[in-house]
Amino acid sequence: MGLEEKLPSGVLLTTVEGVAGYMRKASFWPATFGLACCAIEMMTTGGPKYDLARFGMEVFRASPRQADLMIVAGRVSQKMAPVLRQIYDQMPEPKWVLAMGVCASSGGMFNNYAVVQGVDHIVPVDMYLPGCPPRPEMLIDAILKLHDQVQHTKLGVNRLDEIEADEATALAAVPTSQMKGLLR
Amino acid sequence: MTADPYAATESATTEGKVYTVTGQDWDSIVAGIAEDHDDKVVVNMGPQHPSTHGVLRLILELEGETVTEARCGIGYLHTGIEKNMEFRTWVQGVTFCTRMDYLSPFFNEMTYSLGVEGLLDISTDIPEKAQVMRVLLMELNRISSHLVCIATGGMEIGALTVMTIGFRERELVLDLFELITGLRMNHAFIRPGGVAQDMPAGALDEIRDFVALMKKRLPEYADLCNANPIFKARLVDVGHLDLAGCLALGLTGPPLRATGYGWDLRKMQPYSGYEDYDFEVCTWDTADSYGRFRIRLNEMWESLKIVEQCVERLAGLEGAPVMVADKKIAWPSQLAIGSDGMGNSLDHIKHIMGESMEGLIHHFKLVTEGFRVPAGQAYVPIESPRGELGAHVVSDGGTRPYRVHFRDPSFTNLQATSVMSEGGMVADVIVAIASIDPVMGGVDR
Amino acid sequence: MTLEPTGPDAATAPGEVIARREGMFGVHGTGDTSGYGGLSTHVELPGASTPPYGGWMDEVATALQAAAAAAGVESAVEKVVVYRGEITFFIRREDIAAVAKLLRDDVLLRFELCSGVSGVHYPDDAGRELHAVYHLLSMTHNRRIRLEVTIPDADPHVDSVCATYPTADWHERETFDFFGIIFDGHPALTRIQMPDDWPGHPQRKDYPLGGIPVEYKGATVPPPDERRSYN
């Protein structure tokens, strides 16, 4: 029943969203945004041992205008924050942000005057990766999880609805300090 | 309309117009400069640029391809580590300072620990095995740091093969670090009083294998670069700085030794028993980027020599203590790997929880409160891969540092950017900076 | 060649009390139920030493005194502290630039390299709140000394040593940035680490650490400077 049965062999059916997501995740181009220790691990991930080229991502784009993923690798200082935002604004849509390491995720051990306490104060973050610094394997794992997220990103009006729904959920969520129980 | 407090300001001085750059004000600066010199171009490079060796901002004034003025903007990675250390115990300070110059973590820990040990007056009580392990780790670290310098330096001039093989070899060193300290980077392993843990079983064999492998691999760098005409064309006579310039600007490390002056603190003011090791101080006499590259390459060979000597000594120090005997300073427990990762060893937990109330109190006091360090100040510099690295440690007699300031060689050496690159080509600025090998984590701290 | 050995720490005068510490856990007022609130201790820095200082230190001190007298700044050295094998010359504030030049150029001194300048803030040491600390290295003689200048917070000015040691350029800018010490005669004393519009000098003791509370499930942990502490 339906269209599938009448198709000749060799033709595959999917949704536009599925194809777009597949293309996007399979040609993910990260912008170089190395800041501190994590940047070295990020470079290692692109190096021969861990070989990010296996996932088509070894080309770190020097220009943000050619990139769709910003890996914020390291501590973001108050002085760097406006620069970071500017780079983010220069990236074309659709774009994703991966906060690599605890400093980028939450400020980490540098809870002081100089460091922005989490890059999510400046740009929306799609994936948080803990570790100080995270191992290359952890970065690859985070990138693969982000691939999964990209694959399932909706398009057009569905995307707008999704954003709406996500925001409503976030607004209704209980703040961490009011949660009960073990932290997990 | 209220005035924008963040707008660029300018003021006229006898030297000409001075612009205060605050960001978001590029147009007004360009417009102002254009009025004065219409044939000059001001290029802002960084702080986010793949060739500036980290978050370094360069403000270059160009006439055609020639750099007439080069200025550095730093502070984009300022982390406030020195201030944070004032709110932690003396031992916890190691955890912070290891993250300053993230390519040479052991050196940061070492100079800080030497300062604290000096104030505690226990410098002569550090066990021999701890000293040898410190030297071993520092020399392995020197190799990994020089590898990254050569790798990123190569990448910045387009020699991508140098970058990939550099990171390939660095992984070997990092595997050793992981085996010995449990971490690939940011180890916090060298502590006031000794090192955190004994050598794990089998580590010495791994290091011997590594040394043997490196002896095969290091010649590859020489084959790829030393006589490579493109490599030489980019590096020879670029970033020239002679001895007088180095001393005036406070440059140490490979840039100083590239002038032919063999100043190396390991030989001149030995610490941690360096006087007992057989190694040469590498120098070159061209005072340029190529000389600095060759020095780094040669220093890796010397480091391998020291590593071999350390392994031999460690083989005879099986089971020797790695922490100072004074129980008022030494970390109370040995660490062990449990089912949930690394933590205090089960034997120690059994001892303090089940057998000894005094042991528990002692552990609690030392771990939460920490030890007190007599009031005073100390500065014990060491030879890091980049030059003289020292920690000015000030104590007020409390359980926390009163003030710690790191004299980082990257910070001081970076001042030479303008001297090295003014009058040269734009492309040579990159080479000159790469030859200084600044690590922005160390520059900005 | 190694550093020449020095004798044991030279005889020292009683230490210099720069502050008092009260209580034990950083808790004051009614919050203190520990009973340790009444504790009071002095913060005492090592006091001035009297010659002989031991080893090469005497040579440096004598040569510096002679050079200073010849240059007309004979009372430049306020006191000398030898502690843990390191020698510190406390230099009168107005003479630091002249002394730096002597230390670099005098044939018996020859401190060619300035390792850096850093600041220390002692808020309770009235009239001498800010200290600028210079580490000098003589490669000719293989010796290290430390210079220290005390500066009142009310008038935080000191002469720059940039003319003698160009390397002090960024170090002095950093010390200005973090402590607010104004180095007169510096070619361009601007902020270096913090953004140009940053208010205050963050590494002074009266500047808070600036952390934010960390939230956990059902708990909030204050930043390190607001927690209970042991000093």
Side-chain angles (χ1 to χ4, degrees):
Chain A
M1 180 97 207
L3 187 60
E4 291 90 344
E5 288 168 11
K6 300 202 169 59
L7 284 172
S9 64
V11 173
L12 198 72
L13 276 187
T14 179
T15 59
V16 176
E17 272 172 1
V19 174
Y22 183 74
M23 296 302 170
R24 279 175 178 175
K25 84 162 190 191
S27 64
F28 225 13
W29 280 9
T32 55
F33 208 89
L35 293 164
C37 338
C38 290
I40 306 294
E41 287 296 62
M42 185 170 77
M43 287 163 77
T44 311
T45 315
K49 185 167 176 186
Y50 296 97
D51 200 9
L52 206 52
R54 290 176 292 165
F55 311 104
M57 288 179 60
E58 81 283 15
V59 191
F60 281 82
R61 298 316 301 179
S63 166
R65 296 182 205 283
Q66 300 166 347
D68 47 11
L69 168 65
M70 182 157 82
I71 302 178
V72 184
R75 47 219 189 211
V76 182
S77 70
Q78 305 279 3
K79 197 170 178 176
M80 194 65 192
V83 182
L84 187 139
R85 179 69 209 195
Q86 195 171 355
I87 303 274
Y88 177 78
D89 288 341
Q90 284 172 349
M91 286 166 58
E93 290 278 1
K95 53 193 169 187
W96 288 268
V97 177
L98 197 161
M100 179 179 180
V102 278
C103 301
S105 302
S106 72
M109 66 194 293
F110 303 114
N111 191 357
N112 63 19
Y113 65 93
V115 174
V116 175
Q117 298 299 304
V119 74
D120 47 8
H121 287 260
I122 320 166
V123 292
V125 176
D126 297 281
M127 188 66 68
Y128 296 91
L129 170 59
C132 189
R135 303 176 60 88
E137 290 96 329
M138 293 170 72
L139 178 60
I140 292 174
D141 179 57
I143 286 174
L144 291 183
K145 288 204 166 82
L146 192 59
H147 275 184
D148 203 42
Q149 206 172 310
V150 171
Q151 167 80 68
H152 294 105
T153 303
K154 295 186 165 62
L155 287 179
V157 68
N158 291 346
R159 175 70 187 145
L160 295 178
D161 290 347
E162 193 186 23
I163 291 171
E164 199 93 329
D166 283 351
E167 194 173 348
T169 323
L171 284 172
V174 185
T176 318
S177 58
Q178 289 169 22
M179 291 179 188
K180 293 279 178 275
L182 293 171
L183 191 77
R184 36 177 113 242
Chain B
M1 189 189 131
T2 53
D4 177 6
Y6 301 112
T9 52
E10 54 178 68
S11 52
T13 66
T14 49
E15 299 274 308
K17 237 179 205 176
V18 173
Y19 297 89
T20 309
V21 183
T22 54
Q24 312 275 322
D25 50 5
W26 199 238
D27 294 340
S28 62
I29 292 161
V30 172
I33 302 244
E35 271 171 33
D36 299 341
H37 337 263
D38 39 330
D39 52 341
K40 283 183 183 165
V41 185
V42 178
V43 174
N44 179 50
M45 190 170 173
Q48 204 279 311
H49 190 280
S51 290
T52 52
H53 236 78
V55 281
L56 171 65
R57 180 183 179 186
L58 290 169
I59 301 153
L60 306 172
E61 195 178 279
L62 308 177
E63 267 185 31
E65 280 273 302
T66 309
V67 180
T68 51
E69 262 194 81
R71 291 286 176 273
C72 287
I74 62 168
Y76 291 94
L77 197 56
H78 176 57
T79 318
I81 295 180
E82 289 167 357
K83 179 101 174 173
N84 252 113
M85 286 171 81
E86 292 169 15
F87 296 95
R88 298 286 173 174
T89 64
W90 289 96
V91 173
Q92 285 171 323
V94 174
T95 317
F96 277 95
C97 70
T98 188
R99 285 164 171 79
M100 286 183 174
D101 182 342
Y102 38 80
L103 288 184
S104 53
F106 289 114
F107 293 90
N108 298 327
E109 300 162 19
M110 183 69 185
T111 184
Y112 170 75
S113 298
L114 283 175
V116 178
E117 284 160 9
L119 285 177
L120 285 166
D121 210 8
I122 56 167
S123 304
T124 49
D125 304 337
I126 310 301
E128 187 194 352
K129 187 167 190 185
Q131 300 281 31
V132 180
M133 281 179 71
R134 286 173 171 189
V135 172
L136 171 80
L137 289 167
M138 282 194 290
E139 292 307 321
L140 286 173
N141 199 176
R142 192 182 307 277
I143 295 174
S144 75
S145 174
H146 281 346
L147 281 171
V148 173
C149 170
I150 291 171
T152 53
M155 181 178 70
E156 284 158 11
I157 59 171
L160 222 62
T161 315
V162 179
M163 181 243 173
T164 50
I165 65 170
F167 273 95
R168 181 189 69 187
E169 260 75 272
R170 180 173 179 268
E171 277 304 308
L172 302 173
V173 186
L174 258 52
D175 287 346
L176 292 179
F177 286 164
E178 197 177 349
L179 179 67
I180 296 169
T181 73
L183 290 161
R184 289 163 55 88
M185 296 169 77
N186 302 346
H187 312 274
F189 189 73
I190 298 177
R191 312 236 172 117
V195 295
Q197 260 175 292
D198 204 348
M199 293 287 278
L204 293 184
D205 290 331
E206 293 278 335
I207 299 172
R208 284 192 193 105
D209 292 347
F210 163 78
V211 172
L213 186 58
M214 278 305 273
K215 284 186 172 166
K216 287 205 195 78
R217 295 255 177 106
L218 273 184
E220 275 186 36
Y221 294 85
D223 292 346
L224 264 173
C225 303
N226 282 3
N228 182 331
I230 304 174
F231 197 78
K232 284 183 85 169
R234 290 299 305 273
L235 264 68
V236 172
D237 288 337
V238 169
H240 185 91
L241 192 66
D242 62 6
L243 181 60
C246 280
L247 288 187
L249 287 168
L251 267 74
T252 43
L256 178 63
R257 288 194 286 275
T259 64
Y261 184 33
W263 179 266
D264 188 323
L265 290 176
R266 291 177 293 173
K267 277 271 189 244
M268 296 300 176
Q269 300 172 3
Y271 47 89
S272 200
Y274 264 114
E275 62 271 29
D276 302 334
Y277 295 88
D278 173 35
F279 67 100
E280 301 293 323
V281 175
C282 306
T283 58
W284 206 258
D285 56 4
T286 54
D288 62 357
S289 302
Y290 184 73
R292 289 165 207 146
F293 163 76
R294 291 295 292 267
I295 285 177
R296 292 199 174 94
L297 210 50
N298 292 340
E299 278 187 356
M300 288 200 277
W301 283 104
E302 296 302 321
S303 291
L304 280 183
K305 257 164 74 179
I306 302 177
V307 167
E308 278 181 321
Q309 295 168 43
C310 289
V311 170
E312 252 168 56
R313 286 197 189 194
L314 284 173
L317 286 169
E318 199 83 33
V322 294
M323 203 27 134
V324 67
D326 186 350
K327 290 287 176 202
K328 297 281 181 204
I329 293 166
W331 196 251
S333 75
Q334 282 288 306
L335 299 174
I337 297 186
S339 57
D340 55 347
M342 181 164 282
N344 290 334
S345 71
L346 286 176
D347 283 344
H348 177 72
I349 292 174
K350 186 173 148 225
H351 176 67
I352 60 171
M353 299 308 282
E355 295 167 358
S356 166
M357 188 65 189
E358 286 76 21
L360 179 63
I361 294 171
H362 186 74
H363 180 105
F364 174 76
K365 283 277 282 181
L366 203 53
V367 172
T368 54
E369 180 179 344
F371 50 79
R372 286 175 191 276
V373 171
Q377 50 188 338
Y379 177 76
V380 188
I382 60 171
E383 187 73 27
S384 93
R386 278 160 273 282
E388 177 181 322
L389 172 73
H392 177 218
V393 182
V394 184
S395 171
D396 68 343
T399 58
R400 307 188 297 193
Y402 189 73
R403 158 96 174 133
V404 188
H405 172 77
F406 279 72
R407 187 268 186 205
D408 196 280
S410 304
F411 178 80
T412 318
N413 293 5
L414 199 56
Q415 290 188 84
T417 305
S418 29
V419 185
M420 282 185 181
S421 49
E422 280 172 12
M425 297 295 188
V426 185
D428 293 344
V429 177
I430 302 303
V431 177
I433 292 178
S435 77
I436 298 174
D437 188 24
V439 175
M440 296 317 287
V443 175
D444 294 341
R445 301 178 300 280
Chain C
M1 190 162 93
T2 58
L3 271 183
E4 299 162 51
T6 58
D9 285 358
T12 49
E16 186 195 349
V17 178
I18 53 144
R20 284 162 64 85
R21 269 200 301 259
E22 309 244 328
M24 186 151 183
F25 299 110
V27 183
H28 298 284
T30 52
D32 177 27
T33 53
S34 66
Y36 285 100
L39 285 182
S40 171
T41 45
H42 296 298
V43 177
E44 197 176 300
L45 294 184
S49 310
T50 42
Y53 308 122
W56 56 267
M57 292 179 186
D58 289 303
E59 291 171 30
V60 173
T62 320
L64 177 59
Q65 196 55 47
V73 285
E74 47 281 291
S75 50
V77 179
E78 285 175 341
K79 66 170 176 180
V80 180
V81 176
V82 179
Y83 187 67
R84 299 282 192 252
E86 295 182 24
I87 188 164
T88 310
F89 293 95
F90 280 74
I91 307 292
R92 216 166 52 171
R93 180 155 66 117
E94 47 272 37
D95 296 333
I96 181 68
V99 168
K101 193 159 167 39
L102 294 175
L103 285 168
R104 186 192 65 177
D105 294 341
D106 192 279
V107 72
L108 292 172
L109 297 166
R110 286 265 189 268
F111 287 89
E112 301 97 345
L113 191 89
C114 175
S115 284
V117 183
S118 92
V120 190
H121 186 210
Y122 298 99
D124 298 326
D125 196 7
R128 303 152 55 85
E129 289 92 350
L130 295 164
H131 290 216
V133 184
Y134 307 75
H135 290 101
L136 303 184
L137 165 67
S138 163
M139 289 177 167
T140 311
H141 302 295
N142 203 6
R143 295 165 177 169
R144 275 181 197 283
I145 58 167
R146 180 187 296 122
L147 305 184
E148 199 159 335
V149 180
T150 62
I151 303 154
D153 202 6
D155 174 36
H157 286 266
V158 66
D159 285 336
S160 166
V161 297
C162 270
T164 311
Y165 297 112
T167 178
D169 182 349
W170 282 16
H171 290 277
E172 288 183 350
R173 278 176 69 190
E174 192 184 77
T175 311
F176 161 72
D177 195 354
F178 289 156
F179 291 92
I181 299 175
I182 297 167
F183 292 90
D184 296 320
H186 187 284
L189 195 68
T190 52
R191 285 192 182 269
I192 184 165
Q193 301 283 15
M194 304 307 295
D196 285 337
D197 53 353
W198 193 262
H201 300 281
Q203 298 204 353
R204 291 167 61 103
K205 288 284 172 187
D206 50 14
Y207 192 101
L209 178 63
I212 55 166
V214 178
E215 292 178 347
Y216 291 98
K217 275 189 181 174
T220 303
V221 177
D225 57 335
E226 289 164 28
R227 286 180 213 161
R228 206 173 79 151
S229 63
Y230 299 88
N231 52 349

